Amino acid sequence: MNKIINFFQKLGPAIVFAGAAVGVSHLVQASRAGANFGYQLLAFVVLVHLLKYPFFEYGNLYASATGESLIYAYKKINKYLVHAYIVFNLAMVSITQAAVTIITAGLMANIFPNLNLSISLWSLILLALCSVILILGHYKWLERASKVILLILTISLISSVALSFMEPSNSITLKNGVLFEDIFNTEIVQQATKKNFFSWSNIADFSFLIAMMGWMPAPMDFSIWNSIWTKAKLKGDSGKEHCDNALFDSKVGYVLTASLAVLFLVLGAKVVYSQGASLPNGAVDFSAALINMFTKHLGNWAKPIISIAAFATMFSTTLTCLDGYPRVIVNAITELKSMSNKTYNTLYHSMIAFAAVTTMIVILFFTKNMKAYIDFITIVSFLCAPVFAFINYRVIFKTDFPENYQPGRLNRSLAKLGLVFLILFSLVFVWFRIFN
């Protein structure tokens, strides 16, 4: 038992990364992949995790070997990369935070239906709660919360997937082609005319594939978040031992996120696709579908398990993103201009407030069609991924990064293959959008 406790105590930044990664990409996109296409996209879920891994690992590796974040490395290449990175994050913070917050708010609305609060009000409550947690607790609260949440999620998902294979597939009843949820008295799954089969020539199918891979397991710029969390964990230390621990930490967190993505896809395929159904567009109805469709198949007794797993997933993501974007923006500014700890904390708290306010504006005016909005954000993220991947590769292999800390030939080959994959699929998508 002590060994298990010590094992979890050693895990830090990778668990925080998993807390951010296991959210929209898993709960929404992986579930939709299974619901829309069954197991047809399972290979791509595994493949994109594999090919993106080196670039996420480089964040942990650089910080543990040098005691600095990737932002410092970007500045060494060219200080204007840091300027561009600040602008990129200021543009992305509210639209990304809005995507994760509305899903979390939808889950809250379904868990507490009698309160009859709007998505906007639930979003405001969640953003206020997360802001208080971060302002009072900073990294330690975030790390502890992520460990607890991911433990609940993992146990809940494994139980749900196992039970879905034990239950007969006809345990779901359809009424006039539509599944109804008695508790919430709302349509939660719309019957499709036939099961979908992925087509490479169909722009909608290919666009969804790109969207699914965009945040699978996370946006590529999260590699920089990794380096900042690792630096915060090490508190100025660096060296071979810390490097080995960080890489172990990275692998454990990454395998966990990949495994959970597969489980979400399998659950979507087993429960939704097998019934020839599709998921709705709105945040509340979509969240209800994720909770109630699964529990309809497994039995109402499983509702608390699914509800806790789904909400824990998205709350973890909401909390982590609200910490991540302000933190990386302030760290980037610090690399360009030194500041005292007091000024740093003041700016960090101000950026949290900025993120919360601008997120609410986006939620109020731009998130009517939740699935279309999320697809747009994740596609943009995929198209940006080759840029961050290339710069991270250059940081490790083309700068003065110590050669004795550089990964081996297998990792380097995998990174090159990943770059080709990301660039090729991005170019094909752009070609599709222009000429079709």
Side-chain angles (χ1 to χ4, degrees):
M1 187 65 182
N2 289 333
K3 289 183 178 180
I4 296 175
I5 294 174
N6 289 335
F7 173 79
F8 279 100
Q9 286 178 340
K10 288 181 180 179
L11 299 179
I15 294 299
V16 179
F17 168 79
V22 180
V24 170
S25 62
H26 292 55
L27 195 70
V28 179
Q29 301 295 62
S31 296
R32 285 177 62 198
N36 293 344
F37 301 106
Y39 300 108
Q40 298 171 63
L41 301 184
L42 179 59
F44 280 95
V45 170
V46 176
L47 184 63
V48 76
H49 276 88
L50 180 64
L51 295 179
K52 280 186 174 182
Y53 173 74
F55 309 111
F56 285 112
E57 181 187 77
Y58 296 159
N60 296 71
L61 178 62
Y62 188 86
S64 58
T66 66
E68 299 289 348
S69 72
L70 279 176
I71 299 175
Y72 175 80
Y74 283 23
K75 187 181 74 171
K76 290 181 69 175
I77 295 174
N78 191 315
K79 68 176 183 180
Y80 291 108
L81 283 177
V82 181
H83 288 280
Y85 182 65
I86 293 172
V87 174
F88 172 81
N89 279 282
L90 287 172
M92 294 297 291
V93 57
S94 56
I95 57 177
T96 302
Q97 190 68 48
V100 300
T101 303
I102 58 171
I103 299 296
T104 315
L107 290 166
M108 287 295 289
N110 281 287
I111 293 173
F112 301 105
N114 293 332
L115 294 179
N116 199 27
L117 301 180
S118 67
I119 286 294
S120 299
L121 188 52
W122 275 121
S123 298
L124 181 62
I125 292 170
L126 286 166
L127 289 170
L129 176 61
C130 289
S131 297
V132 170
I133 290 174
L134 293 173
I135 291 172
L136 294 180
H138 297 291
Y139 179 84
K140 289 184 178 179
W141 277 48
L142 182 60
E143 183 180 331
R144 291 167 185 167
S146 296
K147 288 179 181 179
V148 174
I149 288 168
L150 284 173
L151 182 60
I152 294 172
L153 170 65
T154 303
I155 295 172
S156 301
L157 258 184
I158 292 173
S159 301
S160 301
V161 171
L163 288 168
S164 73
F165 281 94
M166 296 178 187
E167 293 289 330
S169 60
N170 61 3
S171 62
I172 298 178
T173 57
L174 293 170
K175 179 181 178 181
N176 297 326
V178 179
L179 180 63
F180 284 81
E181 170 53 48
D182 296 330
I183 295 177
F184 299 119
N185 193 28
T186 180
E187 295 180 9
I188 62 169
V189 177
Q190 304 163 347
Q191 178 70 15
T193 56
K194 61 180 180 179
K195 292 182 179 180
N196 295 325
F197 293 93
F198 184 85
S199 172
W200 288 97
S201 61
N202 187 316
I203 183 61
D205 288 356
F206 188 73
S207 295
F208 175 74
L209 175 62
I210 296 297
M212 182 198 73
M213 295 191 299
W215 280 7
M216 190 67 70
M220 189 64 77
D221 53 297
F222 274 30
S223 58
I224 298 175
W225 297 25
N226 261 354
S227 67
I228 292 173
W229 287 323
T230 300
K231 180 181 177 180
K233 180 75 173 180
L234 295 176
K235 297 179 180 179
D237 293 331
S238 62
K240 182 64 176 175
E241 181 181 353
H242 294 294
C243 190
D244 292 340
N245 290 337
L247 293 182
F248 171 77
D249 189 44
S250 176
K251 288 180 173 62
V252 171
Y254 205 83
V255 169
L256 176 60
T257 60
S259 301
L260 293 177
V262 170
L263 288 175
F264 271 115
L265 184 145
V266 170
L267 203 54
K270 180 66 177 173
V271 177
V272 183
Y273 183 79
S274 64
Q275 301 301 311
S278 61
L279 296 171
N281 292 323
V284 176
D285 289 341
F286 186 91
S287 301
L290 287 172
I291 296 174
N292 300 322
M293 184 71 165
F294 296 161
T295 56
K296 194 82 174 183
H297 183 79
L298 303 175
N300 285 332
W301 66 269
K303 191 177 188 68
I305 295 177
I306 298 297
S307 299
I308 292 171
F311 174 73
T313 301
M314 289 311 307
F315 184 79
S316 174
T317 302
T318 303
L319 180 67
T320 310
C321 285
L322 194 59
D323 169 76
Y325 276 107
R327 190 176 294 277
V328 296
I329 291 171
V330 176
N331 274 268
I333 295 173
T334 303
E335 288 295 344
L336 297 173
K337 183 179 181 180
S338 61
M339 62 181 71
S340 65
N341 289 336
K342 182 179 179 180
T343 303
Y344 178 96
N345 289 331
T346 300
L347 187 56
Y348 169 70
H349 296 160
S350 299
M351 285 308 307
I352 290 177
F354 169 81
V357 171
T358 55
T359 294
M360 280 306 305
I361 293 173
V362 172
I363 290 173
L364 288 171
F365 297 104
F366 302 105
T367 59
K368 300 299 182 184
N369 187 324
M370 184 271 300
K371 289 198 295 187
Y373 178 79
I374 287 177
D375 283 348
F376 168 74
I377 299 302
T378 50
I379 286 171
V380 169
S381 180
F382 186 88
L383 296 178
C384 294
V387 177
F388 286 103
F390 174 76
I391 297 173
N392 289 359
Y393 180 87
R394 183 179 174 184
V395 165
I396 299 300
F397 295 107
K398 301 295 183 179
T399 63
D400 58 356
F401 184 74
E403 188 174 343
N404 58 311
Y405 287 106
Q406 292 179 358
R409 185 176 300 176
L410 178 62
N411 181 289
R412 192 166 187 163
S413 299
L414 188 63
K416 290 179 179 178
L417 185 61
L419 270 172
V420 172
F421 176 85
L422 293 171
I423 293 171
L424 178 63
F425 270 77
S426 295
L427 291 175
V428 171
F429 173 77
V430 172
W431 184 88
F432 254 124
R433 299 304 300 184
I434 294 175
F435 297 105
N436 287 275

